Amino acid sequence: MPDIARNHTDIDRYLEEYFEKDLLRFITCGSVDDGKSTLIGRLLYESKLVYDDTLAKLRADSERRGAVDGAIDFSLLLDGLSAERAQGITIDVAYRYFATAGRMFIVADTPGHEQYTRNMVTGASTADLAIVLLDVTKGVRTQTKRHTYLCWLLGIRTFVLVVNKMDMVGFSQQVFDDIVAEYSQFVDELGVDDFLCIPVSALYGDNLVSRSAIMQWYDGPALLEYLEHVDVGERELSFPFRMWTQTILRLEDGSRAYAGLVGAGAIDRGDEVRISPKGIAASVARIIGPSGDLEHAVANQSVGIVLNDDFDVSRGDLLAQPSRTLDLADKFEARVVWMSEDPLIPGRSYLLKIGTLSVGVTVEAPRYKINVNSLEHVATHHLEMNEIGVCHLTTDKPIPFDPYEECRSTGAFIIVDRLTSSTAGAGMISFGLRRSHNVSEQRYDTSLQQRSVLKGHRPAVLWMTGLSGAGKSTIANLLEQQMCELGIHAYVLDGDNLRRGLNQDLGFTVEDRVENVRRVAEVAKLMADAGIVVIVALISPFEADRRMAKELIGADTFVEVYVEAPLETVEARDVKGLYQKARSGEIPNFTGINSPYDAPEHPDVLVHSATLTPQECAQIILDYLLLDRNLRSL
């Protein structure tokens, strides 16, 4: 019994010491084949943190991959996906948790290939320190600089340049010094002043856990020794309390707890908070953790907050300490990292997610992009994959935020493609452009209902899309005439006519087509608000832009009409001679020939203009409007 009691005491002491250890989150990044996974795998092995059964499996896997003499391929500890093992590269972020006598660690092993930059950014977004790895035989490469720059953009201020594979250059100090000199010049220009360079051989364990006997000329710390003692500060803890509401929990006593991850700062029971963007002041009645009530919560804890009253709080609202005022804006400047294979199209509508809040957003043409090798500012009209630019963004409603330099959780966002729901980009807010403070909506007393009653019908926007020559303008003309005879106030917004005036400054590039649709949608919305039935006759080739128009105008008012005709039919008509010019190269970016057309998959009305007369097409659309949309029902 005494031995059991002593053992329990030892275990309790061990657990107490264990959970009191400091936590360091760091990332490993760099080019493909620089040895990131091998480095971390070897680090775990040298730290005696790999279980015997795992080690045995690792030896077997290594042997199957061709290792000889019992050698271990330590990258297999982290490259867990079958595709990663097959290709010998890291594809996804691999997180590993481990602890030593001095500290606990969470390491994000990230891919080096350009195609997977978004995964690298994901890993860096929560890291406090970056290990930038490079292959000594290949030196400082573009990807080395890009990853360093991305880490710096994402707020990491402590860097370790690990110069790997020193065994392949005979552990040469001169080679190491030359690389350090080149990298130091780059990070000096970037403004990084907290970095260390360590020569290692991840394959043989030199300078990982202990100093290498071979590289006596190196007098700095071994990598693990440095990681155990480096001070990266506690920026998130020192900032005022911030927590995005993720979900609402109904408690047994009927009260509601607003659950989320504390993104910054600390909160005590009884503290005051402000609910943004609603601007409601409240105080904290309870803090609920996984094991019960708490008196205190800090950054990186998941908790439920119960307020002193039953306020209107929903997912995406931000609970914040009022000691530092939050910014609130619907237009701001940000640094954007583009990660999609499809380029960033200025003016196109995307989704922006900041914390748990999701809003619509459009991005203006970048002010400039950044050459990651020279850090020069380069003029551009869009961003390609892996490019980094400074842009102005406009959201469809004001969002609360802090500058990213001050708080990551309320200053970072991602941009999501509306069609594919994939992450297209990531950004860091620099500052608000004060648009929401300077421009406010002016409300008038006359309502849409009054205007509709006056006209005798409800408004609508008939958005007619189709290839050039499909018959949109002809059908629109007939529709307007029929509506006039029925006493319906209608007006046609024709694509060609608009380009003679409102949109005469626009060309036919993708960016200009997006802006063309945006302007027409804004005008149609205003005319519909005046009570008019608007007939838009516009090629509008991209599904994303027609969706933007529908969201802007409203689903109840918007009617998508697809005037369908095969390319061979419209090309045979070629009433304006445009297809012939496009085929001969006289007209670039012509829809259907050298520019794509996204046919609607589920239009409200589909008319086949190749087999029906324009009169029949117009009648189908009019019947839909009167019978299915109840245009005259007020």
Side-chain angles (χ1 to χ4, degrees), residues 446-614:
T446 307
S447 67
L448 177 60
Q449 177 65 20
Q450 288 175 294
R451 298 185 192 111
S452 297
V453 170
L454 192 63
K455 289 183 168 53
H457 60 81
R458 295 192 297 162
V461 175
L462 299 176
W463 194 280
M464 301 173 62
T465 175
L467 292 171
S468 177
K472 299 181 296 298
S473 298
T474 303
I475 297 170
N477 182 45
L478 291 170
L479 260 177
E480 187 182 21
Q481 289 180 339
Q482 291 176 337
M483 289 186 187
C484 284
E485 292 171 1
L486 293 173
I488 297 173
H489 297 72
Y491 187 78
V492 177
L493 292 178
D494 185 89
D496 283 351
N497 293 344
L498 289 167
R499 283 187 177 275
R500 295 166 61 86
L502 177 68
N503 295 338
Q504 65 177 334
D505 60 320
L506 300 177
F508 292 89
T509 62
V510 172
E511 293 85 351
D512 283 349
R513 287 182 185 277
V514 171
E515 175 62 11
N516 186 41
V517 171
R518 189 195 69 79
R519 292 185 192 178
V520 175
E522 290 283 1
V523 172
K525 179 186 178 185
L526 290 173
M527 296 180 71
D529 191 50
I532 297 172
V533 175
V534 187
I535 306 168
V536 176
L538 201 67
I539 295 174
S540 45
F542 302 119
E543 168 68 22
D545 306 323
R546 296 194 298 267
R547 181 179 296 210
M548 178 276 296
K550 181 176 182 178
E551 292 180 357
L552 178 69
I553 293 166
D556 291 340
T557 305
F558 187 90
V559 179
E560 186 177 53
V561 180
Y562 179 25
V563 182
E564 192 275 337
L567 179 61
E568 53 270 23
T569 299
V570 297
E571 196 166 1
R573 293 174 181 165
D574 205 10
V575 292
K576 301 176 183 177
L578 300 178
Y579 283 98
Q580 186 177 357
K581 290 182 179 178
R583 290 289 186 189
S584 65
E586 295 180 55
I587 304 179
N589 303 317
F590 192 82
T591 300
I593 302 299
N594 43 29
S595 184
Y597 176 74
D598 301 334
E601 294 184 1
H602 305 289
D604 297 301
V605 184
L606 170 62
V607 291
H608 299 281
S609 66
T611 56
L612 300 174
T613 66

Side-chain angles (χ1 to χ4, degrees), residues 144-306:
T144 310
K145 293 181 178 179
R146 177 182 286 116
H147 281 189
T148 301
Y149 186 64
L150 285 171
C151 287
W152 181 81
L153 274 183
L154 290 163
I156 297 175
R157 293 295 178 262
T158 304
F159 289 79
V160 183
L161 178 70
V162 172
V163 181
N164 192 24
K165 305 184 183 181
M166 287 297 295
D167 53 291
M168 298 185 71
V169 294
F171 300 98
S172 167
Q173 180 180 2
Q174 186 59 54
V175 175
F176 174 75
D177 288 345
D178 290 344
I179 288 175
V180 170
E182 182 180 355
Y183 186 76
S184 298
Q185 183 179 357
F186 176 73
V187 294
D188 283 347
E189 293 175 8
L190 202 57
V192 175
D193 53 14
D194 185 4
F195 75 98
L196 175 72
C197 301
I198 304 178
V200 308
S201 171
L203 184 64
Y204 298 106
D206 292 280
N207 280 335
L208 291 187
V209 176
S210 57
R211 304 279 186 88
S212 170
I214 301 176
M215 290 179 277
Q216 293 288 336
W217 46 266
Y218 173 70
D219 58 1
L223 179 59
L224 188 60
E225 177 187 359
Y226 175 76
L227 295 176
E228 283 186 317
H229 297 94
V230 63
D231 180 10
V232 295
E234 297 180 332
R235 186 173 52 168
E236 271 71 25
L237 285 176
S238 61
F239 200 77
F241 173 77
R242 301 284 190 261
M243 188 186 87
W244 293 99
T245 304
Q246 184 168 0
T247 189
I248 316 298
L249 303 175
R250 179 67 70 176
L251 305 181
E252 292 181 354
D253 62 0
S255 61
R256 296 193 299 173
Y258 308 109
L261 176 71
V262 179
I267 192 79
D268 290 329
R269 191 160 62 88
D271 280 356
E272 291 187 357
V273 293
R274 185 168 287 274
I275 306 164
S276 293
K278 297 181 174 73
I280 301 171
S283 62
V284 177
R286 291 177 63 189
I287 302 173
I288 304 172
S291 303
D293 278 32
L294 304 170
E295 289 294 319
H296 186 73
V298 299
N300 298 318
Q301 268 188 291
S302 293
V303 296
I305 302 286
V306 180

Side-chain angles (χ1 to χ4, degrees), residues 98-112:
F98 67 98
T100 65
R103 206 169 206 174
M104 295 190 292
F105 301 94
I106 296 177
V107 52
D109 179 35
T110 63

Side-chain angles (χ1 to χ4, degrees), residues 239-240 242 274 321-328 401-403:
F239 200 77
R242 301 284 190 261
R274 185 168 287 274
Q321 252 173 347
S323 57
R324 184 191 187 285
T325 305
L326 271 166
D327 284 322
L328 189 68
F401 72 95
D402 295 294

